Amino acid sequence: MKDDRKERRVIFEVDVSVNWRMHEKWPAVLFLLTSVMTFHVRGAFVGINIGTHVSSLPPASDVVSMLKQYEFTHVRLYDANAQLLKAFANSSTEVMVGVTNEEVLKIGKSPSAAAAWVNKNVVLYTPATNITAIAVGSEVLTSIPNAARVLIRAMKYLHKALVAANLNLQIKVSTPQSMDVILTSFPPSTATFNSSLNSTIYQLLQFLKKTNSYYMLNVYPYHGYIKGNGNFPLDYALFQPLSINRQIVDPNTLLHYNNMFDAMLDATYHSIKALNFSDIPIVVTESGWPWSDGADEPYATKQNAEIYVNNLISRVLNGSGPPSEPTKPVNTYIYELFSEDQKPEPMSQKNWGVLSTKGSAIYRLSSLSSRVAGSSSVVYCVAKDGADPGKLQNGLNWACGQGGANCSAIQPGQPCFLPDNIVNHASYAYNDYYQKMQLNGGTCNFDGTATLTNTNPSRGSCVYTGSVNPSGGNGASPPTPSLTLGPSSDFLPPSSSSKLDARQFHFLSSPMLLSAFFLLLT
């Protein structure tokens, strides 16, 4: 979001070395190991942001009940709200607390101020409340550039305060950034951070690497689409399937992008690598879509918000990463639980919430637990053994092409490539298509070559998404596949930043559309 007060979601992978003789740290170590094991068992998660600029905000206990009803087990608070932190005590909810931008300026000047903040807002509530991260500010580098000089110091001071409290192993420190810190975002393989911020970002990455933390990123395809002025498909922003002749390809890597969300992630991963850092995971602290608009925001509708958020849930819970990092899950926090109607104009800034303050859903929300692998009620769409290989190949081509399935995981060297046979590859593609599209009429048939099963086909790092079968049957088949998927000499590059440079995009559909992308958008 493009306002001063959007601070939202996250979580992680952890890697740490411990002096096992320091027995006083064993409780924290055991907590950490439990968290890591739980993380790998359940795969990626979807959390939710909770803002409090809300008229008639429900009591904190009611908020906790609503989260349980809708199965959110990870939340991000924009500050350290005392009532909510108390309400989450003795629950399984993992909580990220926020340092406001105003507090960053104070904490960055004083280690004692950082220690006081940690004691008041973290130590006081642990271990009863499961605090797992501190988000330091919100888009500080682009929203209040004068604070950049103290941002890294504030993070270091807060981390030292956690070390003093023996909480540094279970609580990570990071800072959410917008896509605007990336100067050139297409193609993702050549994306780089704005050079004017390189010194600060380099220090940030050093800190994240040293403390085994993660890069917090706010991802808003809504803003990217609006700034694109209709020069690329709305479906690309909404995770909707793209026909094969409109798919988006990085000309350097030949990686296909079916949605703007993944393109933004990869642009960030490549920007990190450009500064010679690796193995720093990204957690998406904010992503969502507004459901009500002003006269000049026609795409902020309930229909689009429903499509985006539910497709986002499916995308995150399939457990894969973006095309360049397919084995890295993309833990994501939805923006946001309640609409913050006390925010200033424009109208769409006020209407991002997924629930009313009475607890009812603004639009249909996918179940989170129904997509967790391993439940006996969970179904998967897989290729039938003994199916005709030609039909399977056609089905695979269609799913990875027109069907919009993310097939990066079955490419050579990726986690689901082996065994290298048509049944395995078709099964993964069929299932990815079905889980994304079943609520929009997608079926598990593929000319009679597919079937639903309750047996989880996941193996090792190859993770299949599962879901509750809404219809009880396979239903009709998608159109008979006739297109083949493969690299093309005509490339359709992705938008990967909320600030789009239209010179970086072109579409296969027409020369007119191609020339439209040579308009510089600021």
Side-chain angles (χ1 to χ4, degrees), residues 54-59 62-63 66 337-341 354-362:
V54 181
S55 298
S56 305
L57 185 70
D62 290 351
V63 173
M66 293 176 193
L337 186 62
F338 305 120
S339 292
E340 295 185 89
D341 58 337
V354 299
L355 298 185
S356 74
T357 54
K358 301 295 184 183
S360 59
I362 299 297

Side-chain angles (χ1 to χ4, degrees), residues 381 398 433-434 437-438 440-452 469 471-480:
C381 178
W398 188 91
Y433 165 83
Y434 177 72
M437 298 303 298
Q438 58 164 316
N440 295 314
T443 58
C444 180
N445 188 290
F446 291 91
D447 200 18
T449 64
T451 185
L452 294 174
N469 179 15
S471 61
N474 289 3
S477 173
T480 302

